[in-house]
Amino acid sequence: MNSTQSRKSDHIRICTEKQVESKKSTLFECVEFADIDLSNRIDEESFSEENIDCSITLFGKKLNYPIIIAGMTGGTAEAEQINQNLAKSAEKLGIGFGLGSQRAMIENPGLASTYKVRSVAPKTLLLGNIGAAQLSEYSPEQIQSVISEVGADVLAVHLNEIQEALQPEGSWTNYSEKLKQLCNSLQVPVIAKETGMGISKTTAESLKSTGISGIDVGGAGGTSFARVELERSKDSIENFQDSGIPTAGSILEVRKVFSGLLIATGGIRTGSDIAKALALGADAVGIALPLLKPAQESSEAVTKKLENLVNEFKTELLKLKSQTVNQLKQRKTTISGELEQWV
Ligand SMILES: Cc1cc2nc3c(=O)[nH]c(=O)nc-3n(C[C@H](O)[C@H](O)[C@H](O)COP(=O)(O)O)c2cc1C
């Protein structure tokens, strides 16, 4: 195993065995729907598919729910099984699926099979993935080639500067220029994706000038990669574990300056979190950690976990008398407490 493979293997082990979620909140608890009608009771009939349409269109593909399985892994035999199970479930439910960093398959083309999921997910919206730090190591042509090889529809470039800084083997880079070159050269749209620190208004503004098509805020309140890196190396710097812009705050920050596609990842755990993220301005949400253990088990276990979540989300839509995601997005919210400072 080379160092990229063993890092990905450590991430899976640590994320399934240790407490890696931030102590910081996403701040979705500070969001309430202003015009909720509690007299609207849910019954079996109104809970049917005909009445509620949770579908959206993302990058030209129809998703049955505004959900993407956020990128986690690739590069090892265990990762291959996890990707297969996640992708199978994404295809069944009609949601998006993100691969983990494809760095391992650039370094070793023999590992490509651990990322290839098109045989089980031919129609799924598939997101490829690479770190911003790798943009100075690999040319746009090399990156395009791994995107084409797996048949991804979109590339997510993760910007985890803190994680890079905390990794013993990490590197800080000025990614802006490289990202611009990449957006100009690739045949697929590019999104910029944080992985737990959130994206500020200033970062969103500078990202906008690179030509990206979307932003995944990757806010604080869910998996904390500073915690993961601290578990990997006791020499890693403390103090960052619970820092970052909470996911709800980051949606508000990014929406001040960015009207493109916005994905909210980071601590999305309930149907209510999904509804609130969309009402604050997200177009879809991403979910990673809660699906990791089920994905080690089977695609059925992943589907079961996700079905619970979409049922909760449908209940939110019913409570809010919204038949579609667009109607939900029009619902007024009130914002209180700590989240007010991000308004
Ligand atoms: C085991 C694991 C590995 C991850 N690897 C990647 C990765 O390779 N690339 C990436 O962009 N994000 C990666 N992430 C971050 C997730 O995509 C997501 O942004 C983050 O976990 C927050 O979502 P959550 O709170 O639902 O876990 C990883 C997350 C986990 C749990």
Side-chain angles (χ1 to χ4, degrees):
M1 241 190 226
N2 70 17
S3 78
T4 303
Q5 286 176 289
S6 76
R7 182 167 54 247
K8 292 312 280 179
S9 183
D10 284 352
H11 286 166
I12 292 173
R13 182 181 48 78
I14 292 165
C15 286
T16 48
E17 290 174 5
K18 306 279 182 187
Q19 205 300 98
V20 293
E21 290 192 276
S22 171
K23 285 200 180 127
K24 200 164 189 164
S25 158
T26 54
L27 295 185
F28 284 120
E29 72 277 12
C30 301
V31 182
E32 292 297 339
F33 284 96
D35 53 0
I36 187 165
D37 180 357
L38 293 172
S39 67
N40 181 28
R41 302 224 181 273
I42 300 155
D43 59 42
E44 283 301 311
E45 207 182 323
S46 62
F47 207 53
S48 70
E49 289 271 331
E50 299 113 69
N51 290 325
I52 296 185
D53 177 5
C54 298
S55 70
I56 59 162
T57 301
L58 219 55
F59 296 109
K61 285 200 168 172
K62 187 184 169 203
L63 269 59
N64 289 340
Y65 305 98
I67 299 174
I68 294 170
I69 299 175
M72 283 188 272
T73 202
T76 63
E78 187 187 18
E80 179 171 353
Q81 195 53 56
I82 290 173
N83 278 337
Q84 293 288 315
N85 288 342
L86 292 170
K88 239 186 246 177
S89 177
E91 180 83 6
K92 183 170 181 351
L93 293 171
I95 62 172
F97 170 60
L99 294 166
S101 171
Q102 290 174 263
R103 182 184 187 175
M105 76 177 269
I106 305 184
E107 287 172 353
N108 178 356
L111 299 175
S113 61
T114 66
Y115 296 89
K116 287 186 178 174
V117 295
R118 278 298 184 209
S119 61
V120 295
K123 295 198 195 110
T124 300
L125 174 72
L126 180 63
L127 288 79
N129 190 294
I130 198 77
Q134 275 71 66
L135 301 187
S136 34
E137 286 173 54
Y138 303 113
S139 67
E141 291 72 28
Q142 281 173 296
I143 295 171
Q144 177 63 56
S145 138
V146 293
I147 293 303
S148 302
E149 198 168 355
V150 297
D153 302 295
V154 182
L155 173 67
V157 177
H158 62 265
L159 315 171
N160 49 344
E161 290 186 4
I162 291 295
Q163 189 192 351
E164 289 289 338
L166 299 182
Q167 273 174 3
E169 62 278 61
S171 68
W172 287 78
T173 47
N174 181 354
Y175 53 75
S176 204
E177 264 312 304
K178 295 281 175 195
L179 199 52
K180 207 181 270 179
Q181 282 170 18
L182 189 72
C183 291
N184 280 333
S185 326
L186 284 200
Q187 292 156 20
V188 295
V190 177
I191 68 166
K193 171 180 187 295
E194 242 302 332
T195 56
M197 294 302 288
I199 289 187
S200 67
K201 179 183 159 211
T202 319
T203 305
E205 238 158 12
S206 65
L207 283 171
K208 218 163 78 169
S209 67
T210 64
I212 47 141
S213 305
I215 292 180
D216 180 337
V217 300
T223 305
S224 158
F225 261 90
R227 279 185 181 273
V228 178
E229 293 305 334
L230 206 58
E231 292 289 346
R232 280 187 70 223
S233 163
K234 295 298 172 200
D235 299 332
S236 194
I237 313 158
E238 292 203 43
N239 301 327
F240 286 108
Q241 303 92 293
D242 301 314
S243 51
I245 308 173
T247 301
S250 190
I251 299 170
L252 294 173
E253 281 279 284
V254 172
R255 267 296 175 240
K256 286 173 191 162
V257 294
F258 185 73
S259 59
L261 189 112
L262 196 160
I263 301 166
T265 303
I268 301 288
R269 301 290 180 259
T270 64
S272 164
D273 292 340
I274 302 175
K276 288 175 178 179
L278 298 176
L280 290 184
D283 296 298
V285 300
I287 301 162
L289 189 67
L291 303 174
L292 185 57
K293 273 190 188 162
Q296 285 177 313
E297 209 182 294
S298 64
S299 72
E300 289 76 18
V302 178
T303 303
K304 194 170 160 208
K305 180 88 191 165
L306 283 164
E307 275 173 347
N308 286 339
L309 200 64
V310 298
N311 284 337
E312 279 179 26
F313 176 57
K314 282 182 182 170
T315 305
E316 292 297 317
L317 287 175
L318 274 174
K319 273 202 307 200
L320 296 163
K321 290 193 168 160
S322 304
Q323 283 191 319
T324 62
V325 169
N326 260 342
Q327 282 178 10
L328 170 75
K329 284 166 75 69
Q330 313 301 318
R331 293 282 175 241
K332 285 200 193 80
T333 52
T334 56
I335 290 170
S336 60
E338 215 186 305
L339 190 60
E340 266 187 287
Q341 76 190 38
W342 299 101
V343 175

